[in-house]
């Protein structure tokens, strides 16, 4: 029964990311980079087999975590590697903020992914915005529907995984009054992306702009917003299955650093969105480390802020895993521990359903079925 596998994890406390009851004494088998089987509620006696067997002695087994909103410094590979070695097996770059061209980033990703020492990388490329509008370094400006269609096609043909757009009024003197995309241009962006099977994420910070984006057809609000989202708009988002990546650490940083008065409003938005059935994923808008608000690696501060806002630990784990995989379009491959999915797995000493602090130290990390870190001590 156990002779055809590459790796077997036995005696684990399985939290599969789906949200069901954890399973004690679970056995997870791995073959050719994928989860081959899951045997639950049974003591497994394994003798005289050739593959590697790791007895976890009750430690918690989880899917690899997903950070769906970062901005990567591709000039520093060590910087990227730290996510993986903290248990974040997939990260999504949400827009180039330095001087690199999209083609350079695509090539760097190919090089990085030739090894198993880095997280899986999902790439948005550059913001599509109005001419002269908000959007990082060298955003793609458009002024016609034809340009919108052309630029969406170009980004996807180059190898970008999603489309990132923006509707921003500004939040400091350097961004106030910048040109903004019109409703018809936003709709053209969304329609063409969806025609090509691509996801559309939108930078947004105000509720009135969020409503415009929702009506245009976005799939995801890349942030919470700093003023009140109406119950009607929340209902519309939930009905359209529009996700939110709330980046609460970003708003907490603004609140703490500049005495901005809107953080409690962000909490209220998130609570009502969750209570209405809205789905969230985890993202930190990481650009560079600025503790405690912006962490490189495991986003513990963001997780604690979500807990403070009323999410329970199970909801947070689902946001880190299953929901994250849905946002990045890989839910058929990663995000949960299920048969035939890619074996992105982490093991931690402790129970994160009871205490998120145990995520500070991940003992075992497996990506694509290969062990990349093993600090298990028995």
């Amino acid at each position: 029964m156990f002779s055809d596998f590459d790796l077997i994890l036995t005696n684990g406390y399985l939290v599969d990311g789906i949200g069901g009851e954890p399973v004690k004494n679970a056995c997870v088998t791995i073959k050719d980079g994928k989860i081959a089987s899951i045997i639950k509620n049974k003591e497994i006696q394994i003798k005289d087999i050739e593959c590697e067997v790791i007895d976890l002695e009750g430690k918690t087994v989880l899917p690899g975590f997903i950070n769906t909103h970062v901005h990567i410094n591709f000039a520093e590979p060590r910087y990227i590697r730290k996510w993986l070695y903290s248990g974040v097996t997939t990260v999504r770059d949400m827009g180039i903020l330095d001087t690199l061209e999209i083609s350079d980033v695509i090539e760097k990703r190919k090089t990085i992914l030739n090894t198993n020492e880095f997280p899986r990388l999902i790439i948005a490329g550059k913001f599509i915005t109005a001419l002269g509008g908000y959007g990082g370094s060298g955003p793609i400006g458009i002024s016609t529907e034809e340009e919108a269609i052309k630029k969406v096609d170009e980004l996807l043909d180059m190898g970008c995984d999603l489309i990132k757009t923006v509707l921003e009024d500004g939040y400091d003197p350097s961004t106030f009054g910048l040109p903004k995309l019109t409703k018809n241009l936003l709709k053209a962006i969304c329609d063409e992306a969806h025609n090509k099977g691509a996801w559309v994420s939108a930078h947004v910070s105000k509720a009135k702009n969020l409503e415009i984006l929702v009506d245009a057809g976005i799939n995801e609000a890349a942030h919470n917003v700093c003023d009140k989202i109406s119950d009607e708009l929340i209902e519309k988002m939930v009905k359209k299955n529009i996700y939110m990546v709330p980046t609460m650490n970003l708003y907490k940083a603004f609140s703490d650093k500049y005495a901005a008065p809107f953080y409690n409003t962000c909490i209220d938005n998130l609570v009502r969105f969750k209570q209405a059935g809205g789905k969230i994923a985890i993202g930190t808008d990481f650009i560079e480390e600025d503790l405690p608000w912006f962490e490189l690696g495991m986003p513990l501060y963001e997780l604690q802020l979500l807990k403070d806002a009323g999410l329970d630990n199970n909801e947070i784990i689902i946001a880190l895993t299953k929901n994250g995989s849905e946002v990045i379009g890989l839910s058929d491959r990663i995000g949960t521990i299920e048969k035939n999915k890619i074996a992105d797995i982490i093991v931690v000493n402790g129970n994160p359903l009871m205490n998120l602090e145990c995520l500070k130290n991940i003992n075992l990390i497996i990506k694509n079925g290969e062990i990349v870190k093993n600090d298990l001590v028995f």
Side-chain angles (χ1 to χ4, degrees):
M1 177 179 182
F2 293 102
S3 60
D4 296 329
F5 303 119
D6 300 322
L7 176 64
I8 301 173
L9 306 177
T10 66
N11 194 24
Y13 182 75
L14 178 63
V15 177
D16 59 17
I18 300 171
E21 285 295 318
V23 178
K24 296 180 179 180
N25 302 322
C27 173
V28 180
T29 66
I30 296 170
K31 176 69 174 177
D32 296 331
K34 294 186 176 182
I35 297 167
S37 61
I38 302 165
I39 302 172
K40 303 178 179 180
N41 294 318
K42 183 178 180 181
E43 294 286 351
I44 305 298
Q45 299 296 325
I46 301 175
K47 298 179 180 179
D48 301 323
I49 61 173
E50 296 181 359
C51 77
E52 184 173 5
V53 180
I54 301 177
D55 186 343
L56 301 178
E57 298 189 353
K59 291 180 173 61
T60 302
V61 183
L62 303 114
F65 291 161
I66 302 167
N67 189 331
T68 67
H69 193 145
V70 305
H71 297 278
I72 293 173
N73 180 353
F74 283 92
E76 286 288 343
R78 292 176 299 172
Y79 174 101
I80 306 171
R81 186 183 287 115
K82 188 170 180 180
W83 274 302
L84 176 60
Y85 283 82
S86 71
V88 181
T89 53
T90 302
V91 297
R92 183 176 62 165
D93 183 81
M94 288 296 281
I96 300 169
L97 298 184
D98 55 28
T99 59
L100 286 176
E101 296 297 325
I102 298 171
S103 57
D104 296 330
V105 170
I106 297 295
E107 287 304 310
K108 285 180 178 290
R109 174 170 67 170
K110 289 179 183 177
T111 301
I112 286 170
L113 295 186
N114 281 336
T115 77
N116 215 26
E117 297 181 8
F118 300 92
R120 184 176 294 100
L121 301 180
I122 309 301
I123 292 176
K126 293 194 174 187
F127 291 64
I128 298 181
T129 187
L131 289 173
Y134 178 94
S137 175
I140 298 169
I142 62 168
S143 59
T144 68
E145 293 181 27
E146 291 76 16
E147 288 176 339
I149 293 169
K150 179 181 178 182
K151 295 304 180 182
V152 166
D153 292 347
E154 287 179 357
L155 285 169
L156 298 176
D157 290 344
M158 289 178 73
C160 295
D161 300 300
L162 71 149
I163 298 299
K164 175 78 176 289
T165 191
V166 56
L167 197 60
E168 175 60 64
D169 289 337
Y171 49 81
D172 63 18
S174 69
T175 57
F176 291 149
L178 293 177
K180 295 190 296 183
L181 290 167
T182 61
K183 294 179 181 180
N184 64 306
L185 292 180
L186 287 165
K187 188 174 187 307
I189 291 168
C190 293
D191 286 350
E192 183 62 12
H194 296 157
N195 287 339
K196 299 289 185 178
W199 184 271
V200 180
S201 176
H203 169 97
V204 61
S205 62
K206 296 291 181 62
K208 66 183 180 67
N209 290 332
L210 176 60
E211 183 153 23
I212 293 169
L213 289 161
V214 167
D215 290 340
I218 63 166
N219 301 102
E220 168 203 342
H223 300 283
N224 198 332
V225 299
C226 56
D227 55 346
K228 183 174 181 177
I229 306 173
S230 70
D231 291 339
E232 292 76 17
L233 179 53
I234 287 175
E235 182 180 353
K236 187 185 296 186
M237 293 176 70
V238 173
K239 184 176 181 179
K240 291 189 172 188
N241 199 33
I242 295 172
Y243 288 66
M244 179 191 290
V245 179
T247 60
M248 297 297 284
N249 59 323
L250 172 68
Y251 293 107
K252 190 67 165 61
F254 277 119
S255 176
D256 291 347
K257 289 182 174 185
Y258 310 115
F262 48 69
Y263 184 66
N264 287 338
T265 301
C266 294
I267 292 176
D268 178 66
N269 287 338
L270 177 62
V271 168
R272 289 184 296 111
F273 183 74
K274 181 186 74 92
Q275 290 176 342
K279 294 182 181 180
I280 73 162
I282 303 299
T284 57
D285 202 13
F286 179 92
I287 300 174
E288 60 184 5
E289 202 158 40
D290 184 9
L291 299 176
W293 306 281
F294 300 96
E295 299 165 289
L296 177 58
M298 181 64 66
L300 283 169
Y301 190 69
E302 176 71 7
L303 305 188
Q304 187 58 54
L305 293 178
L306 293 173
K307 187 173 178 62
D308 292 345
L311 273 72
D312 64 38
N313 290 19
N314 189 47
E315 290 170 325
I316 290 170
I317 296 298
I318 291 172
L320 271 168
T321 56
K322 179 177 181 290
N323 288 1
S325 72
E326 293 168 357
V327 163
I328 66 174
L330 294 179
S331 60
D332 60 332
R333 299 173 61 194
I334 63 173
T336 57
I337 298 179
E338 297 179 87
K339 184 177 179 179
N340 294 326
K341 287 197 173 181
I342 293 172
D344 284 4
I345 294 171
I346 61 176
V347 174
V348 63
N349 187 17
N351 184 355
L353 296 179
M354 301 296 293
N355 181 10
L356 293 172
E357 288 294 307
C358 70
L359 298 175
K360 285 181 178 178
N361 296 300
I362 306 298
N363 300 129
L364 179 68
I365 299 171
I366 298 170
K367 177 174 170 276
N368 292 324
E370 296 182 10
I371 296 174
V372 297
K373 174 183 176 182
N374 187 356
D375 291 341
L376 290 171
V377 177
F378 299 108

